[in-house]
Amino acid sequence: MALEHAILVSLLEKPGSGYELARRFDRSIGYFWTATHQQIYRVLKRMEGDGWIDVREMPQQTRPDKKEYSVTALGRAALSQWLHEPIELESVRHDLAVKIRGAAFDDPAALIREVERHHQAHTDRLTHYLAGEWRDFTGPGAPGTPDAGRELQHVVLRGGIAYERMTLAWLDDVLVTLRRLGPAR
Amino acid sequence: MALEHAILVSLLEKPGSGYELARRFDRSIGYFWTATHQQIYRVLKRMEGDGWIDVREMPQQTRPDKKEYSVTALGRAALSQWLHEPIELESVRHDLAVKIRGAAFDDPAALIREVERHHQAHTDRLTHYLAGEWRDFTGPGAPGTPDAGRELQHVVLRGGIAYERMTLAWLDDVLVTLRRLGPAR
DNA sequence: GGACACATGTAAACGGTTACATGATTGT
DNA sequence: ACAATCATGTAACCGTTTACATGTGTCC
């Protein structure tokens, strides 16, 4: 489990509320971790109980009050300890690959639309990542000062970009294969 | 959930026991889906109850008796229905990326060994996939007859190979970045 | 005698998803 | 009036992981 650690990293980068964390998990952190607000609120409670994070009630006039969380020394130590532990390789779960192999027992051509839909979604993601890279790292508005944190954020984003490009190339390969098999059936 | 469907596909490709399925999930199917034997036995029970699969008791002299499962017409129909439903994009969970961003608040250089370890593991996987590709698809011993099932298995394997190659290139990028940051600290 | 591959299971704990619930403010 | 955004939560369910449990045959 690394949701707690992902939250620690995110709060160290910038303290914030559960709601804000949920939005970050939809955006920048979303290309290597996902979490819903329900999960986040639950884990925040536990982390607070463990003394990993502190809460400050932030009354707001125009919007509902919020709780701003920040990482304690204990939380930092917990993160540090985790960073020094070896972790398992990710295990892949690719439904689409199951479908593709399953298509051998159905109509391969019926999958073409589904694959095209995924292709479009990955194209959108890639566009979104590239816009973020331009905005935060490679564009003229991005700060030119070198900073370890930014460098590390950038290399993770480059990983997301590489993943989307690889996936798009593979989906092209899949489409060629399905179209070749389709009419022959 | 697609474990049931992954099992259907695997049993359609070749009927077998729970134990055999578990081994397939460690090998060929492992590059797009993982499952332990505990999970598989439980799901097999449920699928049998739903009439998706049939069991045949297979007494064996030299080894413990096993149950051989095969897919029924109802199971085939269930697979077909699932194939025609749209599925969600995969959500990514990449612990290593969390660690890399977390390294900004610890020692980036301490991560180098961990990343090298992952690099080695992905190299091993790639070698294994390439050996499988040569054995089953591109080598001289592979059957030359065109077959939809084999074509689809091959395109999925090419996806696994592309994933490993992309990951290795990215891990190289990560190592360069970490080594650049390390001594500066 | 000990390790390993074959073969099947149960039970507890944990994590993630989905549905439900509330309430204020801002914009159309 | 309605939808969207901000903001926090509870409860039920489901799937996955980990630990435990048992037993045979083969090989060193």
Side-chain angles (χ1 to χ4, degrees), chain B residues 86-104:
Chain B
I87 46 166
E88 295 269 310
L89 285 226
E90 321 306 312
S91 54
V92 190
R93 293 268 158 105
H94 213 315
D95 294 65
L96 196 58
V98 178
K99 278 201 171 189
I100 290 164
R101 274 175 77 146

Side-chain angles (χ1 to χ4, degrees), chain A residues 1 29 31 33-34 74 81 84 110-111 117 122 124 131 134 138 148 155-156 160 163 172 183-185:
Chain A
M1 226 287 279
I29 305 181
Y31 46 83
W33 204 272
T34 51
L74 214 92
Q81 204 209 314
H84 287 266
L111 258 185
R117 208 171 54 80
H122 282 282
D124 293 347
W134 181 254
T138 54
V155 79
V156 170
Y163 177 80
D172 285 333
R185 244 183 111 84

Side-chain angles (χ1 to χ4, degrees), chain A residues 2 5-6 9 12-13 28-29 31-34 76 79-80 82-106 110-111 114 117-118 121-122 125 148-149 151-153 155-156 158-159 162-163 166 170 173-174 177-178 180-181, chain B residues 2 5-6 9 12-13 28-29 31-34 76 79-80 82-106 110-111 114 117-118 121-122 125 148-149 151-153 155-156 158-159 162-163 166 170 173-174 177-178 180-181:
Chain A
H5 302 106
V9 171
L12 281 168
E13 285 174 357
S28 70
I29 305 181
Y31 46 83
F32 60 87
W33 204 272
T34 51
R76 257 185 109 105
L79 178 66
S80 177
W82 178 71
L83 286 174
H84 287 266
E85 281 166 16
I87 47 167
E88 294 270 309
L89 285 226
E90 322 304 316
S91 54
V92 191
R93 290 270 158 104
H94 214 314
D95 294 64
L96 196 57
V98 179
K99 278 200 170 190
I100 291 163
R101 274 174 77 149
F105 307 98
D106 202 75
L111 258 185
E114 174 81 340
R117 208 171 54 80
H118 281 248
H122 282 282
R125 264 202 205 161
E151 286 295 318
L152 292 169
Q153 283 178 34
V155 79
V156 170
R158 288 201 296 274
Y163 177 80
M166 179 280 298
W170 176 62
D173 184 6
V174 171
T177 305
L178 287 176
R180 195 149 35 77
L181 292 172
Chain B
H5 302 105
V9 171
L12 280 167
E13 286 174 356
S28 71
I29 304 180
Y31 46 85
F32 61 88
W33 203 273
T34 51
R76 257 185 111 105
L79 178 67
S80 178
W82 177 72
L83 287 174
H84 287 268
E85 280 166 16
I87 46 166
E88 295 269 310
L89 285 226
E90 321 306 312
S91 54
V92 190
R93 293 268 158 105
H94 213 315
D95 294 65
L96 196 58
V98 178
K99 278 201 171 189
I100 290 164
R101 274 175 77 146
F105 308 98
D106 203 75
L111 257 185
E114 174 82 338
R117 205 172 54 81
H118 281 249
H122 282 283
R125 264 202 206 161
E151 286 294 318
L152 292 169
Q153 285 179 32
V155 81
V156 169
R158 289 201 295 274
Y163 177 81
M166 179 279 298
W170 176 62
D173 184 6
V174 170
T177 305
L178 287 176
R180 194 149 38 74
L181 293 172

Side-chain angles (χ1 to χ4, degrees), chain B residues 1 3-4 39-53:
Chain B
M1 228 283 280
L3 175 55
E4 285 141 301
Q39 253 185 95
I40 289 166
Y41 284 122
R42 190 145 36 88
V43 173
L44 281 174
K45 278 269 165 68
R46 191 173 62 221
M47 290 169 75
E48 199 197 330
D50 291 344
W52 290 15
I53 52 177

